[in-house]
Amino acid sequence: MLVWLKDPMGFPGQEPADDGIGVCVSDIQQRAGLGQSTTSQYLAILRQAGLVVATRRGKWTYYRRDEANIARLLETLGDVF
């Protein structure tokens, strides 16, 4: 999912104006081929880890990568290994 979110415009129906808020969870679910609750659980884990940011717009939730936290994680992993 993190790889997919790197290119939000790669999701069908994404508008350039959506780029800043992310990708709708229903679009992520469709690409993953998983149920809504399973997709939401995976995204919640990524959010708790600080790797994605969730934004609510009405009844919809959008997810985007948290590039700063991903960079810190990669730096830490590089230091450890």
Side-chain angles (χ1 to χ4, degrees):
M1 289 181 185
L2 282 175
V3 172
W4 298 339
L5 291 174
K6 194 169 187 173
D7 177 26
M9 296 310 296
F11 284 83
Q14 280 292 107
E15 299 291 330
D18 296 337
D19 192 36
I21 63 168
V23 178
C24 183
V25 68
S26 63
D27 293 332
I28 298 169
Q29 173 192 348
Q30 184 176 12
R31 180 173 280 182
L34 299 170
Q36 186 274 330
S37 69
T38 302
T39 303
S40 292
Q41 287 176 345
Y42 288 159
L43 289 166
I45 291 167
L46 292 173
R47 187 177 50 77
Q48 290 168 355
L51 301 176
V52 297
V53 175
T55 302
R56 294 277 303 175
R57 288 271 172 103
K59 65 179 182 172
W60 307 106
T61 303
Y62 294 82
Y63 286 89
R64 62 180 167 80
R65 291 166 46 112
D66 187 328
E67 297 297 341
N69 280 344
I70 290 171
R72 278 193 289 278
L73 173 62
L74 292 174
E75 182 180 332
T76 301
L77 289 174
D79 291 345
V80 171
F81 296 107

